[in-house]
Amino acid sequence: MSGTLAKIAEIEAEMARTQKNKATAHHLGLLKARLAKLRRELITPKGGGGGGPGEGFDVAKTGDARIGFVGFPSVGKSTLLSNLAGVYSEVAAYEFTTLTTVPGVIRYKGAKIQLLDLPGIIEGAKDGKGRGRQVIAVARTCNLILIVLDVLKPLGHKKIIENELEGFGIRLNSKPPNIGFKKKDKGGINLTATCPQSELDAETVKSILAEVYIPCIYVLNKIDQISIEELDIIYKVPHCVPISAHHRWNFDDLLEKIWDYLKLVRIYTKPKGQLPDYTSPVVLPYCKTTVEDFCMKIHKNLIKDFKYALVWGSSVKHNPQKVGKDHTLEDEDVIQIVKK
């Protein structure tokens, strides 16, 4: 491990020495990517065997989306979780409490959403201290991250947590760069350059590709301790929702924003000759909403017998409209699959 930590220290020192300006931005970006790669190596030790990287912190992914809750101990994260989900998690009044994760599941607008407490992402997690490393590995699988902050001291905490997550190649509320790639049948990465590259090598590209882009909402808790004027200011901050976990204030606003950021698409099924089933939609992530994606979500054999589909809703011009498997569905469309 010490070798990796030494390399990390070396790169951090170089970043500290480098002045930030337009000319060095590119160089700093590459250093950042290299840093994230090294930190990920800390999480996943080389070589097989052993308990694997996630011992004691493995969570089965259930439901249609997964939300990770991050926050310093004692900001009211556990209260928020148990009040949102009714999952009772032992709330203790000392620093560094929750150590394993108890997923809660809420149903909202027909979607099953898994709530995960990501415990103890505290300073030092990215140097392999604490339980932080395994927690970060789970954080990378979330569809949305909620950073819970104490409204009385939000900014310091916010910076630290963002740095932790950034350090592992988790980019919050930003769009991935427009990089094109062709997927071949075989795995692996092949880098071809059209002109000599002074900065980019295959390793760097690999570490950039390993970064994840996750939307994030800042939840400012304990608003019962501030004035109305202060509350008005907070409301203007982007990606922020003020709440009181204890009094359950403003939960509807929070859930609405969660729904906006998850960008889930609900599709209702309609068996032939019956009314659509509006109670349990098939929920798809916004980037995978073709009729084929819908079929795969139900059962992978469904696409083999697929003839065409009838669709009612905003994605079609006529109701119903006959569509093929490449048709893109929109939220709250109704679909009926016709088999061969």
Side-chain angles (χ1 to χ4, degrees), residues 12-60:
E12 281 180 335
E14 187 178 344
M15 285 173 78
R17 280 200 305 272
T18 311
Q19 268 188 321
K20 261 193 185 163
N21 57 42
K22 264 192 189 150
T24 60
H26 179 73
H27 178 61
L28 281 168
L30 295 176
L31 287 176
K32 223 176 185 175
R34 219 165 284 162
L35 206 52
K37 177 175 173 285
L38 288 168
R39 289 200 177 124
R40 275 196 299 278
E41 276 174 19
L42 277 182
I43 307 179
T44 40
K46 290 242 175 1
E55 57 179 332
F57 197 81
D58 264 342
V59 188

Side-chain angles (χ1 to χ4, degrees), residues 75 80 146-152 154 217-257:
V75 291
L80 172 60
L146 258 58
I147 294 183
V148 186
L149 300 164
D150 185 330
V151 75
L152 298 173
I217 296 172
Y218 301 99
V219 182
L220 290 167
N221 187 23
K222 307 188 185 177
I223 54 168
D224 47 323
Q225 301 177 7
I226 60 169
S227 68
I228 296 289
E229 292 76 31
E230 288 170 304
L231 196 55
D232 282 344
I233 296 169
I234 292 170
Y235 254 109
K236 298 191 177 78
V237 181
H239 311 299
C240 262
V241 181
I243 62 147
S244 163
H246 181 66
H247 298 289
R248 305 185 183 201
W249 291 347
N250 213 18
F251 277 16
D252 43 356
D253 230 17
L254 176 60
L255 285 165
E256 202 40 60
K257 199 164 191 98

